Amino acid sequence: MSASLSAGYSAENAVVSCLKELELMYGPGGLITVEIAYMVRQMEMNRPIETLMSEFAARSGLEEVENFARIFAIAKRSGGRLVPIISHTVQVMNDRFQVKEELRTLTASRKFEQKIMSLMPFLIILYIDGTSPGFFTVMYTTWMGRCIMSGCLGVYALSCYLAGRILDISVG
């Protein structure tokens, strides 16, 4: 849509052009293609593009789409500078998407490492119990051993919780 606006198309014609591009990319049954096709049909019935964008944003429930619809409506009403405003908005949205993807990529390996580290105490206990039967008998049969192991289980649960919180990074 930004490219069509830059080429001099009106906002309405840019949406029609956008529909053709989306049909090539996602096919006529793609969700975004269906939504844009609906908007084109509504524009043929003389409904304003700003209203259609706002309705699309409400149906999608995505923050980026809602922001774009608001910015689009303001830029269209203010007149004149629609192309640079929309181009800048698209660039900001692309940058934000790239940052989210980079964060997912960077944290994916750390999340995997955290899962492995969470399993390590159990694997160590299984190894020791398998190679030295009776080694943990004192820890699980006496009152003091049960208290110590319960405390260790609590510390383990807390560490798993904190590791999950540390790796739960979200971008606005």
Side-chain angles (χ1 to χ4, degrees):
M1 184 173 168
S2 177
S4 297
L5 287 170
S6 297
Y9 286 26
S10 68
E12 291 78 9
N13 289 335
V15 172
V16 173
S17 174
C18 182
L19 174 62
K20 293 174 187 171
E21 294 291 325
L22 290 173
E23 284 177 345
L24 291 174
M25 288 181 3
Y26 301 110
L31 292 176
I32 188 71
T33 308
V34 171
E35 286 291 335
I36 299 297
Y38 172 77
M39 289 173 62
V40 169
R41 285 192 306 275
Q42 292 296 309
M43 284 188 307
E44 289 170 356
M45 290 190 263
N46 294 328
R47 292 203 53 211
I49 186 76
E50 301 90 6
T51 305
L52 296 172
M53 287 277 190
S54 296
E55 291 173 359
F56 170 60
R59 282 193 306 273
S60 74
L62 298 172
E63 180 185 355
E64 289 87 1
V65 179
E66 290 172 359
N67 290 340
F68 180 79
R70 272 190 241 120
I71 291 168
F72 182 82
I74 292 167
K76 184 106 165 80
R77 271 187 255 134
S78 67
R81 296 187 32 87
L82 184 64
V83 175
I85 291 171
I86 297 301
S87 295
H88 179 72
T89 303
V90 168
Q91 183 62 40
V92 168
M93 289 171 65
N94 282 336
D95 291 344
R96 187 172 174 180
F97 179 74
Q98 286 176 345
V99 167
K100 283 182 180 180
E101 286 302 312
E102 285 179 27
L103 277 174
R104 279 192 203 115
T105 302
L106 293 172
T107 59
S109 64
R110 300 294 177 227
K111 286 180 181 180
F112 184 67
E113 289 173 8
Q114 187 261 328
K115 288 178 184 177
I116 291 173
M117 292 306 291
S118 294
L119 285 175
M120 288 308 293
F122 292 111
L123 297 176
I124 291 171
I125 289 172
L126 284 174
Y127 174 75
I128 292 173
D129 196 43
T131 57
S132 301
F135 185 79
F136 290 118
T137 304
V138 174
M139 293 304 228
Y140 295 112
T141 57
T142 65
W143 180 81
M144 184 61 108
R146 288 180 182 164
C147 288
I148 290 171
M149 292 308 283
S150 296
C152 290
L153 182 63
V155 169
Y156 171 74
L158 179 65
S159 68
C160 287
Y161 172 75
L162 290 176
R165 292 280 302 198
I166 289 169
L167 290 174
D168 186 27
I169 299 171
S170 63
V171 177

